[in-house]
Amino acid sequence: MTLISGGMVNAFDPAGAAGLDDDRRSMVERRARLLGPGYKLFYDEPVHFVRAQGVYLYDAQGEEYLDVYNNVPSVGHCHPRVVEAVSRQLGILNTHTRYLHDSILDYAEQLLATFPAEIGHVMFTCTGSEASDLAMRIARHVTGGSGFIVTANAYHGHTIAVSQVSPSMGEHVPLGVHTRVVPAPDAYRSEGDLGAVFAAQVEAAIADMRRHGIRFAGFLADSLFSSDGILPGPAGFLKPVAEVVRKHGGLYIADEVQPGFARTGDAMWGFQRHGITPDLVTMGKPMGNGIPIGGVAARPELLEDFGRNTRYFNTFGGSPICIAAAQAVLDVIRDEKLQENSRIVGRAMLDGIQALAEKHSSIGDVRGAGLFVGVDFVRDRATREPDAALGLKVVNRLRQKRVLISASGREGNVLKIRPPLPFSLADNDRFLGLLAETLAELA
């Protein structure tokens, strides 16, 4: 199985439920009856988890699985400091941001200190989708435009507005008429200077908007192009794009839901690899280690008129409980030196997979930044034709070896390696050994 309706990569086909054991078959049937068809499961054989700790999850039979995929529990599943902070705050107070409370101010101060000095305000949401939606509202208000540019397989969230700038949602979720799509910046399959080529494509999209009477509002990009196949590119290649966006009066919106919070190792935020300062930065899932909090960090001048004239209120965005989780995450990243860990372990992971690529011609490219690595499977190294079938076989064979992983890219041919940040060198050795076994078996 490769893709299912809607373009989902690595999704369980309900037609295969008959082959599952009684427990999982019953749960799959119950899900279908109660939740409907909108909820998708991973893997050819779904997994039933009952608990987790650190970088491990445990199924109903007590079997241990190594998590090499989940970035939402960014500081590890059930981190005791996050659990304690949330539990303590739950017994004290949980309300909204229209009352005064110290914790949101303390956290905002510390969070903003991780950004360039030009970014001085933060607005809180519950999810990354809401953050993307809010960033788009701000961009429209500031520029007076409605046109947004995204990459070919981008994903930025689930709201109506944001799904219209998320091509990866599939053909049954139409793009907005004011949305323009540019090819993803794939250094492995591109020729010439990547930054110059990508900037020219963005400029051409802006020109096309102008020709159709659409005013340009902004360029929205995941700083590692995660859904496009994990495309870190050479550091700095996004600088010419930012210059083009600003030249034409648009805002540069950096989606840091996946690249942010120390994942790249060299920096706290993915955009910092490129030496740029965005106008708006969106955050989500990893911010609260699974507690629903997201946000938009912004240049203060962009929020002056928006804040005065546009009513914005989010009941639970920035609530004391969500802030308690987010504060604990920030503290753990600092105290456990997880940015440094991401750099060290990520380098070891890249080196290990590149060594495997020397033995397996099916690996066309290995790329990444910190603990975010992509393995690009190809049918032929000369043509660089994507091998989606092999990508999904590797994902499911690793799942059989109790390693959780998934795939990315429009074809689903890129192994998406994105473990929780405490992933250790020992965890990496275990993963590399099982990946080597899998590649040998599928050779």
Side-chain angles (χ1 to χ4, degrees), residues 7-288:
M8 291 288 291
V9 173
N10 182 26
F12 170 66
D13 184 349
L20 300 176
D21 57 63
D22 291 344
D23 174 58
R24 286 180 297 165
R25 185 174 65 253
S26 174
M27 292 187 76
V28 166
E29 291 170 350
R30 234 178 130 203
R31 276 174 63 102
R33 187 174 72 252
L34 297 172
L35 305 181
Y39 286 86
K40 311 302 181 188
L41 290 162
F42 275 150
Y43 307 114
D44 286 345
E45 294 184 37
V47 195
H48 174 199
F49 288 121
V50 296
R51 67 183 181 92
Q53 188 67 53
V55 299
Y56 299 97
L57 293 92
Y58 300 86
D59 67 16
Q61 287 71 46
E63 296 286 357
E64 181 181 87
Y65 288 70
L66 179 64
D67 192 348
V68 194
Y69 178 72
N70 287 296
N71 72 319
V72 175
S74 57
V75 298
H77 293 272
C78 304
H79 194 289
R81 289 179 66 177
V82 179
V83 172
E84 193 278 330
V86 171
S87 301
R88 182 177 66 248
Q89 188 59 49
L90 187 60
I92 299 172
L93 172 72
N94 193 38
T95 186
H96 51 71
T97 55
R98 296 184 80 168
Y99 301 124
L100 292 171
H101 199 266
D102 284 330
S103 66
I104 190 173
L105 305 178
D106 293 340
Y107 176 69
E109 220 163 42
Q110 294 171 47
L111 178 68
L112 288 169
T114 69
F115 286 100
E118 297 90 335
I119 294 177
H121 285 339
V122 59
M123 299 176 72
F124 293 104
T125 64
C126 294
T127 67
S129 293
E130 286 184 346
S132 294
D133 194 284
L134 176 59
M136 291 174 68
R137 285 180 61 191
I138 294 168
R140 288 190 181 103
H141 185 89
V142 170
T143 65
S146 60
F148 289 93
I149 297 171
V150 295
T151 50
N153 203 50
Y155 172 75
H156 297 292
H158 274 296
T159 69
I160 290 178
V162 181
S163 66
Q164 291 179 354
V165 293
S166 296
S168 68
M169 296 287 284
E171 62 182 10
H172 300 295
V173 180
L175 296 175
V177 294
H178 292 184
T179 299
R180 294 296 182 272
V181 173
V182 293
D186 185 351
Y188 176 55
R189 293 180 175 84
S190 299
E191 295 182 0
D193 181 283
L194 187 65
V197 170
F198 195 38
Q201 291 166 338
V202 170
E203 188 141 32
I206 295 170
D208 184 69
M209 285 183 184
R210 188 182 303 116
R211 181 182 179 188
H212 289 86
I214 298 168
R215 189 167 181 175
F216 177 46
F219 171 75
L220 176 57
D222 172 323
S223 300
L224 285 178
F225 301 92
S226 309
S227 297
D228 286 293
I230 310 162
L231 306 171
F237 88 87
L238 286 177
K239 190 174 285 188
V241 178
E243 291 169 358
V244 165
V245 168
R246 299 226 171 88
K247 180 178 77 173
H248 291 283
L251 300 188
Y252 189 106
I253 306 170
D255 183 337
E256 292 286 329
V257 173
Q258 296 192 64
F261 289 97
R263 180 152 294 278
T264 65
D266 290 329
M268 184 70 165
W269 305 105
F271 65 80
Q272 290 174 311
R273 294 179 62 247
H274 300 286
I276 61 176
T277 299
D279 299 294
L280 301 166
V281 180
T282 61
M283 298 161 281
K285 300 166 185 174
M287 193 174 187

